[in-house]
Amino acid sequence: MFTRIFGKPKQEPTALVTLAKLQETLEMLEKKENLFLRKVSEELDKAKEFSKAKKKKAAIQCLKRKRLYEIEVEKLGNFQLRIHDQMILLESANVTTETVGALRTGAAAMKAMQKATNIGDVDKTMDELNEQTETMKEIQAALANPIGGYDFDEDELEAELEELEELELEEQILDTETTYPVPPVHVPQVNQPNCRPLNKNSKEEDELAALEKEMAI
């Protein structure tokens, strides 16, 4: 009922709508400015023609109209400057408004998060985490112990390891002495045809010796 009597409440135009309206007005002013500029050019041409025809009065009238059009062009130029200024201010205000709105939204979100998480809950959660961590360490330590409870003497194990290393070192020394190369001894050969070598010759060597003996005869 109140809506029918007083009408719907008037909604304020948004920044985008206002900018669009200003842009439309600016384009209209530019069209009118171009129109008046064309009229200025036409009146100037007419004044030149009347001046050539010696029609001074008509030429003066053309110059008067040209001057009026130029005044309108100047006014339209000022209007356009006003529109440009308004658009710049509106765009700046729109950016400022959006920035403030974003900051306000972030502050509200931060406030809600702080309300949902108080310092008591954080301390309680940290205590639970620390307790669970200590429990897990105890479990891992228990699992690391050997089955059957065997306890080895670390000193005895180290002594046994040293003995093994000494034995290995001695074996390496013995191997080195055994495999050390013995230089060959050169024995000069003496021609003794009647003496046979101590080593047992093979069949081929015996045949070769017999052949050499026959050739010597």
Side-chain angles (χ1 to χ4, degrees):
M1 180 178 179
F2 290 101
T3 304
R4 295 178 181 177
I5 296 174
F6 298 103
K8 294 182 178 180
K10 186 177 180 180
Q11 296 180 353
E12 295 182 359
T14 62
L16 295 177
V17 174
T18 305
L19 285 172
K21 182 63 178 177
L22 290 174
Q23 182 64 34
E24 182 181 351
T25 303
L26 184 63
E27 293 176 356
M28 180 269 295
L29 293 174
E30 290 176 351
K31 290 180 180 179
K32 287 188 175 182
E33 182 184 18
N34 292 331
L35 176 62
F36 283 121
L37 287 174
R38 188 169 64 251
K39 289 184 176 295
V40 168
S41 180
E42 291 176 355
E43 293 298 332
L44 182 60
D45 293 338
K46 290 180 182 179
K48 291 179 180 180
E49 292 178 0
F50 286 133
S51 177
K52 290 179 181 179
K54 305 299 181 181
K55 296 180 180 181
K56 184 177 179 181
K57 188 175 181 179
I60 292 176
Q61 293 295 326
C62 291
L63 293 177
K64 288 180 179 181
R65 288 192 296 270
K66 182 182 79 68
R67 181 56 184 162
L68 293 175
Y69 291 142
E70 288 176 347
I71 293 173
E72 292 297 323
V73 169
E74 186 177 357
K75 289 180 181 179
L76 292 172
N78 292 331
F79 293 161
Q80 293 180 55
L81 288 177
R82 294 288 184 90
I83 295 294
H84 279 295
D85 291 341
Q86 188 66 29
M87 291 177 68
I88 293 173
L89 291 175
L90 186 58
E91 289 176 352
S92 178
N94 184 41
V95 172
T96 302
T97 302
E98 291 182 355
T99 303
V100 173
L103 293 174
R104 186 176 296 135
T105 303
M110 184 66 69
K111 185 177 180 180
M113 292 170 65
Q114 291 177 353
K115 185 178 180 181
T117 306
N118 54 43
I119 187 64
D121 293 337
V122 174
D123 293 338
K124 183 178 179 181
T125 302
M126 293 304 298
D127 291 340
E128 292 177 354
L129 288 175
N130 292 331
E131 184 178 356
Q132 292 175 2
T133 302
E134 292 299 328
T135 303
M136 183 58 64
K137 288 181 179 179
E138 293 177 359
I139 294 174
Q140 292 176 351
L143 292 176
N145 292 329
I147 298 175
Y150 296 108
D151 189 11
F152 298 98
D153 191 347
E154 296 292 336
D155 295 334
E156 292 182 358
L157 294 176
E158 290 182 0
E160 184 177 354
L161 180 60
E162 290 179 358
E163 292 179 1
L164 291 176
E165 292 177 351
E166 291 177 357
L167 290 175
E168 184 178 357
L169 181 60
E170 292 177 358
E171 292 178 357
Q172 291 179 357
I173 293 173
L174 292 175
D175 292 340
T176 304
E177 293 177 353
T178 303
T179 57
Y180 188 81
V182 178
V185 179
H186 180 71
V187 179
Q189 296 181 357
V190 180
N191 294 328
Q192 296 179 357
N194 296 326
C195 297
R196 301 184 67 181
L198 298 177
N199 295 331
K200 187 178 180 179
N201 295 328
S202 62
K203 183 179 179 181
E204 294 180 356
E205 291 177 349
D206 293 340
E207 293 178 356
L208 180 60
L211 179 63
E212 289 178 352
K213 186 175 181 181
E214 292 176 359
M215 292 178 67
I217 295 173

